[in-house]
Amino acid sequence: MAFEPRQTSLGRRLAVLSRSGLEAVESWLEREREQIGLWAPIGLGAGISAWFILPDAMGWLAFCCGMLALACIGAMLPPGGRLRRMIVAGAILACIGCLLVWGKAALWGQPPLARATFVQMTGQVLSVRQVPAQAMVRVMLRPMDEPHLPAVVRVNIGDGDMPAGLGEGALIRFRVRLMPPAPPSVPGGYDFAARAYFLGIGATGKALKPVEVLRASTASPPLRARLFDHIVERVDGPAEGIAVALATGDQGAIPEADAEAMRRSGLAHLLSISGLHVTALIGAVIFLLMRVMALSQRAALHWPLMLIAAAGGALAGIGYTWLTGAEVPTLRSCVAALLVLGGLAMGRDAITLRLVASGALLVLVFWPEALAGPSFQMSFAAVTALVALAEHGRFRAFAAARDEGVMRRAGRALAVTLATGIAVELVLMPIALFHFHKAGMLGAFANLIAIPLTTFVVMPLEAMALLLDVVGLGAPFWWMTQQALNLLLALAHGVAASPMATLLAPTMGMALFGMTVVGLLWCLLWRTRWRWLGLAPVLIGVGVTFAASPPDLLVTGDGRHVAVRTPDGMAILRDRAGDYVRDVLSESAGYDGELAAIARLPGARCSTDLCAVRLKDGKGRSWRLLFTRSDMLIERRSFARDCAMADIVVSDRGLPGWCHPRRMKIDRRLLMRTGGLSITLATGEVRTVFRPDDAHPWISRPRPRRPQL
């Protein structure tokens, strides 16, 4: 019996399946055609992210070549299809994004100081910023006749050491120990070194007295500084810092306790000049201009009042952005407001996701480094969530104005405000967990009171106070502003005191964070039911973060501060460590309690020079840890014996070669190559601040080797 020939080859079947799959994708993209353009800033941002994630120039070049290859592959798809255009455009945008941030880093970045140095420095003052909450003044300087120093350094001067005549253009001389901008203390911490590189700051330090003024400043203080001093004189108590922040964007006058309460209560966004503040100002200017021009019959009948009012509002928004320092949230809000005003002037509906995407593209083109910071991510994520929710058909129908009673209208407005607050909190949770290791839980409820209080009471009162100060009549309004701000602070402290105010988690990995962000964007930017596929990576990312085992041992980059996890919480080696160190270690470990002293742990044996403690990991295995506590020379015989008995030895000094712990020796030599460490004993996972092959330009150190536990 002869075999029948196969009617369809395997290749033909694959071709049919590919064709049907491509047609299904094209059909889906046709339904989503209005949303495709929203992914343009995502493509650009992917290239920028790749530059920050990949370690060196070979990796960046390989990424760009890979994206160009992907664009060529996309061009081989059937012409005229949306998928073809998306792949080609997205790959080219990703390549452009990588080249954009790479080029800016090469052309405008400031390389850090190679190593700490003690100098007698003469410098020209570029800017002066007061930080009353920390009793100091922060000065940006250009060193004179010091070619071995960076072009710009930042120096802190204590309030009691500040000489007369210090201001922009002044020439001062002082002694200072300059340090390279600080990298993260522990894995997952705040990377000031990367931010300082793009800000042009090559070194930091604290000036030692006396600070001598060789040439006094002749320039008058900038408007922002004069406004800062004026508000501080008019408002007393903790409220003065909030009042200054709302008017100038400078948070230097806010005490740390109040700033932490605002963060824990989910109200910190009120301190950063963003959409709320810019919108309130522009709306007030437009309202006033419309009412004033309407008083003239000729203007009301013959002038384009809305166009004129929109132009006035735009100028006010631009001026406010310049006055408050032009930070990323303010720039984003100003760009968005200008686009909205342009749309309104043309009679178009301007509050759309395309507006948000346009603002994101503009910011990324001029400030690509902003993508890596929490400010850009949180501000655009919050606005995207708000607009996406407002564009949803069911939510728009529920929130639409209708003829109903006062109580039902008020209840509906309250429900809409609460829903938007909860949506924003949910979208911001992964970003907050990644950057700050904690997320707010009660912010949506606190904002129900805080946002109306700030928008309709505090800001109008402060604006009236500033206006009436021109004729010396602003005192009553300053008093009312202070009382309203005291109420806002009382709300913040009350919410922050709740044990449910924040949700803490250990450090979130970069891969999990990227997967979560892609899932969020997939949910927010598409409109068909396929958008809910994005929930899977979001839930996986957040779930894995909370389920992950927190580190058992944290070591800061200088080796001085060590935190260990105990059955009752966390304990720290040096119990006199400051609040900043304690907060960094607690947040990185996902712990919200007080740090005990290692010396007081049961079974700990500590002297003035050494501290030995025994810990059990998650699998019940016992570990012997040994820490040095001083710079004193320790007798060799006893120290060698203790080293041999310990599994891990940690020291802020360079340990001798005859110190042989069983598992790992962490000393100054190792930490110079790795930076801070976090160790999970049960799994043997060791995370470092520095990667062995990281060649980003703000990193100044020997090449590290990754330690093994």
Side-chain angles (χ1 to χ4, degrees):
M1 178 178 178
F3 289 99
E4 291 288 335
R6 296 172 64 183
Q7 298 298 316
T8 305
S9 66
L10 179 61
R12 184 173 299 178
R13 289 180 181 178
L14 291 177
V16 171
L17 289 175
S18 300
R19 190 178 300 110
S20 61
L22 186 61
E23 290 175 354
V25 171
E26 289 291 345
S27 176
W28 170 63
L29 290 177
E30 176 63 25
R31 296 193 299 273
E32 295 277 16
R33 60 186 180 276
E34 297 295 330
Q35 309 299 116
I36 293 176
L38 303 178
W39 290 86
I42 312 303
L44 194 67
I48 298 171
S49 300
W51 186 83
F52 280 99
I53 295 171
L54 297 174
D56 52 25
M58 290 302 296
W60 308 331
L61 187 60
F63 175 82
C64 293
C65 294
M67 289 299 100
L68 293 178
L70 179 61
C72 294
I73 294 173
M76 296 170 63
L77 292 174
R82 297 187 185 276
L83 181 61
R84 178 178 187 265
R85 294 196 294 267
M86 282 186 65
I87 292 177
V88 172
I92 292 176
L93 281 172
C95 180
I96 291 174
C98 185
L99 294 175
L100 190 65
V101 67
W102 189 359
K104 183 169 184 179
L107 295 176
W108 282 284
Q110 174 61 60
L113 187 68
R115 61 183 60 85
T117 180
F118 191 87
V119 295
Q120 176 89 11
M121 192 178 79
T122 301
Q124 182 182 5
V125 177
L126 301 178
S127 65
V128 178
R129 179 192 169 212
Q130 297 187 46
V131 190
Q134 301 179 34
M136 68 179 185
V137 175
R138 191 160 285 162
V139 182
M140 301 284 284
L141 295 160
R142 178 181 292 112
M144 309 295 291
D145 302 322
E146 298 284 356
H148 62 286
L149 295 181
V152 176
V153 300
R154 192 185 77 179
V155 174
N156 297 331
I157 302 176
D159 276 349
D161 304 329
M162 189 174 68
L166 182 65
E168 186 175 339
L171 198 64
I172 61 176
R173 183 168 57 199
F174 53 89
R175 292 179 301 138
V176 62
R177 184 172 186 262
L178 291 176
M179 302 282 292
S185 300
V186 291
Y190 173 60
D191 192 354
F192 175 67
R195 176 171 170 78
Y197 179 81
F198 286 101
L199 290 176
I201 302 172
T204 62
K206 182 177 181 180
L208 303 177
K209 58 183 179 181
V211 180
E212 182 182 359
V213 177
L214 304 180
R215 185 185 68 210
S217 172
T218 57
S220 60
L223 176 61
R224 189 184 187 191
R226 296 199 302 271
L227 188 59
F228 185 105
D229 294 335
H230 180 79
I231 296 174
V232 168
E233 291 177 0
R234 294 297 188 274
V235 183
D236 298 324
E240 72 178 17
I242 310 296
V244 168
L246 291 176
T248 68
D250 192 331
Q251 302 180 28
I254 303 176
E256 180 56 31
D258 292 337
E260 179 63 18
M262 296 291 284
R263 287 191 291 267
R264 288 180 60 88
S265 60
L267 304 180
H269 67 95
L270 299 176
L271 306 179
S272 176
I273 305 300
S274 57
L276 175 67
H277 312 78
V278 175
T279 302
L281 175 70
I282 292 178
V285 170
I286 291 176
F287 176 82
L288 291 175
L289 287 177
M290 289 286 288
R291 291 298 181 270
V292 170
M293 289 187 295
L295 296 176
S296 167
Q297 182 179 9
R298 181 178 179 182
L301 294 176
H302 302 288
W303 291 3
L305 299 188
M306 187 59 210
L307 186 61
I308 297 174
L315 292 176
I318 294 172
Y320 189 44
T321 301
W322 167 77
L323 175 65
T324 55
E327 298 290 339
V328 170
T330 319
L331 285 169
R332 187 265 306 159
S333 304
C334 184
V335 169
L338 294 179
L339 292 174
V340 168
L341 292 176
L344 291 176
M346 294 185 294
R348 302 286 298 275
D349 183 10
I351 310 296
T352 65
L353 285 174
R354 292 192 177 188
L355 165 72
V356 182
S358 300
L361 272 175
L362 188 61
V363 172
L364 290 177
V365 167
F366 289 99
W367 299 276
E369 71 279 3
L371 178 68
S375 178
F376 176 93
Q377 295 171 14
M378 299 187 81
S379 61
F380 275 98
V383 175
T384 301
L386 288 173
V387 178
L389 182 63
E391 289 185 351
H392 194 279
R394 293 182 181 177
F395 182 83
R396 177 176 290 187
F398 176 79
R402 62 200 69 192
D403 188 13
E404 57 185 355
V406 176
M407 295 301 297
R408 289 180 63 86
R409 188 181 299 114
R412 190 179 302 277
L414 185 65
V416 168
T417 305
L418 184 60
T420 55
I422 293 175
V424 170
E425 292 290 341
L426 291 175
V427 169
L428 295 184
M429 179 183 291
I431 303 174
L433 290 176
F434 178 74
H435 289 285
F436 310 116
H437 318 297
K438 56 185 177 182
M441 300 296 293
L442 301 178
F445 301 95
N447 279 290
L448 286 176
I449 301 174
I451 289 179
L453 177 64
T454 304
T455 306
F456 301 113
V457 179
V458 174
M459 293 186 67
L461 285 175
E462 188 167 354
M464 287 299 299
L466 288 170
L467 288 174
L468 292 176
D469 271 349
V470 177
V471 293
L473 299 177
F477 287 91
W478 282 121
W479 182 85
M480 288 186 285
T481 301
Q482 181 174 325
Q483 304 313 309
L485 288 174
N486 287 336
L487 178 60
L488 179 65
L489 284 171
L491 173 66
H493 282 280
V495 173
S498 170
M500 298 177 59
T502 56
L503 187 66
L504 276 79
T507 300
M508 189 180 194
M510 181 71 72
L512 281 177
F513 178 64
M515 180 179 68
T516 306
V517 169
V518 170
L520 281 175
L521 292 171
W522 190 273
C523 291
L524 293 173
L525 299 186
W526 296 128
R527 281 294 169 265
T528 61
R529 65 179 183 275
W530 293 105
R531 69 182 184 273
W532 300 119
L533 290 176
L535 285 179
V538 174
L539 295 177
I540 292 173
V542 176
V544 170
T545 299
F546 283 111
S549 298
D552 299 295
L553 180 64
L554 288 167
V555 183
T556 59
D558 57 6
R560 287 183 51 80
H561 302 286
V562 180
V564 298
R565 183 171 295 277
T566 70
D568 300 322
M570 296 286 294
I572 191 171
L573 178 63
R574 287 176 166 83
D575 54 353
R576 295 185 179 180
D579 292 339
Y580 175 77
V581 172
R582 290 175 174 271
D583 290 343
V584 168
L585 294 174
S586 298
E587 291 175 2
S588 297
Y591 178 68
D592 198 23
E594 288 293 328
L595 295 178
I598 289 179
R600 298 190 180 94
L601 294 178
R605 297 182 297 108
C606 296
S607 66
T608 56
D609 300 319
L610 294 173
C611 195
V613 64
R614 187 188 296 267
L615 291 181
K616 287 189 176 181
D617 62 22
K619 297 181 179 179
R621 293 178 298 187
S622 181
W623 293 75
R624 294 175 180 266
L625 309 180
L626 179 65
F627 313 118
T628 63
R629 305 179 71 189
S630 73
D631 296 330
M632 300 299 294
L633 181 64
I634 305 172
E635 194 270 326
R636 174 171 177 170
R637 179 179 300 177
S638 61
F639 190 35
R641 183 187 67 247
D642 292 339
C643 280
M645 295 174 59
D647 293 297
I648 299 175
V649 177
V650 181
S651 177
D652 60 344
R653 66 177 83 173
L655 294 177
W658 44 260
C659 175
H660 295 292
R662 297 172 181 172
R663 294 296 185 91
M664 190 174 181
K665 181 168 68 174
I666 303 172
D667 64 353
R668 182 172 57 192
R669 298 184 185 93
L670 178 68
L671 291 172
M672 285 180 63
R673 299 191 298 267
T674 64
L677 300 172
S678 67
I679 302 174
T680 305
L681 298 175
T683 61
E685 180 185 8
V686 180
R687 298 187 62 206
T688 64
V689 167
F690 300 140
R691 291 179 292 174
D693 52 353
D694 199 338
H696 284 95
W698 55 82
I699 297 177
S700 176
R701 57 175 174 77
R703 291 291 181 263
R705 55 179 175 82
R706 188 173 185 85
Q708 299 294 329
L709 181 61

